[in-house]
Amino acid sequence: MQIIIAKCKEEFDRIAADTVSQQIKDKPNSVLGLATGSTPLGLYAQLVERNKRGEIDFSQITTFNMDEYKGLPKDHPQSYHYFMHKYLFDEINVRPENINIPNGEAADWAKECAEYEEKIRAAGGIDLQVLGIGHNGHIGFNEPGTPFEALTSLIELDKRTIKANSRFFDSIDQVPRQALSMGIKTIMQSRKLILMICGRDKAEIAYKAIKGPITPEVPASVLQLHPFITVLLDQDAASDL
Ligand code: PGA
């Protein structure tokens, strides 16, 4: 596990963007695993800028997002489809047919999850997965207690996740209670990972994920077992390390 502590938010975003840019330069047809949330917003802004300046090319890139709320239509402002298009996909030269996000409105969940796994396999697997972490240690929407062997599935969201994400909705009652998420095993099968953690409010969970016991109660702790993971923290998130 490589641990990098960025001096400031600019450096945090730049290091994350350098990691993704290098992956794209090394392998122009890379398969990228992508995350939503506040943490990667600066990364996506940098990737958009670099693409517009012609420094990186997404024309052969394939993407797989980790998760999507159950029941939200693609054009719902809080859906992860909407988020990804707004902050990244609509601004770069990725081909629409190469973008993959779980379908939150699928009629058959088991089929949607199995097909998502199959699509990742057919694309050759994920080369670089970008990850954030929840205050409860979740990665994707794999909440505490999710088995490490889990593949993409329908997840019951944890109370803490619903509360944290209610900041984006008019009221907590509007936050979906379930989501489709890549499994922990799916995430661990990625060739490389970058876990991004920022903010003082993430310091305790950062410590548990990086230095604590490896346990399904802290889903991100499984990442200690991955041979090619970079953990990128800002100084606030690293304050308990
Ligand atoms: P955040 O979400 O980046 O908005 O903190 C991370 C997560 O819940 O995985």
Side-chain angles (χ1 to χ4, degrees):
M1 181 175 266
Q2 183 193 22
I3 297 176
I4 301 176
I5 301 172
K7 286 199 278 295
C8 59
K9 184 70 171 74
E10 287 69 33
E11 189 178 78
F12 181 85
D13 293 337
R14 184 181 50 71
I15 293 169
D18 286 348
T19 305
V20 176
S21 302
Q22 196 57 52
Q23 174 66 41
I24 294 172
K25 284 176 190 159
D26 290 347
K27 187 179 175 195
N29 62 347
S30 288
V31 178
L32 301 179
L34 298 176
T36 50
S38 314
T39 309
L41 280 175
L43 159 66
Y44 294 155
Q46 290 251 345
L47 294 178
V48 167
E49 267 180 40
R50 291 177 189 204
N51 184 236
K52 289 197 193 307
R53 288 201 300 260
E55 293 166 15
I56 48 172
D57 174 22
F58 287 87
S59 63
Q60 297 178 65
I61 294 291
T62 298
T63 67
F64 283 91
N65 264 81
M66 281 194 295
D67 43 20
E68 178 59 286
Y69 287 117
K70 180 186 170 192
L72 290 195
K74 292 188 172 78
D75 59 357
H76 189 290
Q78 299 312 331
S79 78
Y80 290 164
H81 275 79
Y82 188 94
F83 177 102
M84 289 306 301
H85 282 85
K86 178 173 176 185
Y87 292 110
L88 187 66
F89 298 145
D90 288 353
E91 305 292 331
I92 60 174
N93 68 331
V94 65
R95 287 176 207 267
E97 62 271 28
N98 290 347
I99 295 171
N100 298 281
I101 306 177
N103 178 9
E105 293 190 293
D108 181 337
W109 300 107
K111 187 161 169 274
E112 173 67 16
C113 293
E115 284 177 3
Y116 205 65
E117 285 289 330
E118 184 45 39
K119 270 196 224 166
I120 296 172
R121 218 181 343 268
I126 292 169
D127 290 304
L128 174 64
Q129 174 69 55
V130 175
L131 289 168
I133 186 172
H135 295 99
N136 62 4
H138 76 197
I139 45 174
F141 269 136
N142 293 289
E143 303 288 27
T146 307
F148 288 162
E149 285 305 302
L151 295 172
T152 301
S153 59
L154 188 62
I155 300 269
E156 297 290 327
L157 298 184
D158 194 84
K159 278 206 193 84
R160 238 181 129 180
T161 301
I162 293 169
K163 186 154 181 287
N165 292 6
S166 67
R167 68 192 195 275
F168 301 115
F169 291 81
D170 290 338
S171 81
I172 196 162
D173 300 334
Q174 293 179 8
V175 185
R177 274 18 188 188
Q178 293 178 309
L180 247 79
S181 179
M182 264 189 207
I184 293 180
K185 186 170 180 183
T186 324
I187 292 168
M188 286 293 281
Q189 283 169 343
S190 309
R191 293 185 186 90
K192 276 183 267 171
L193 301 159
I194 177 165
L195 171 62
M196 303 175 68
I197 318 179
C198 64
R200 183 71 188 85
D201 56 317
K202 295 276 177 76
E204 188 184 340
I205 196 63
Y207 177 84
K208 284 188 187 162
I210 298 168
K211 301 248 162 108
I214 299 171
T215 163
E217 290 315 310
V218 182
S221 64
V222 74
L223 300 171
Q224 294 176 34
L225 301 173
H226 198 285
F228 298 106
I229 173 153
T230 299
V231 184
L232 172 63
L233 306 105
D234 68 0
Q235 293 199 319
D236 285 340
S239 51
D240 286 2
L241 294 186

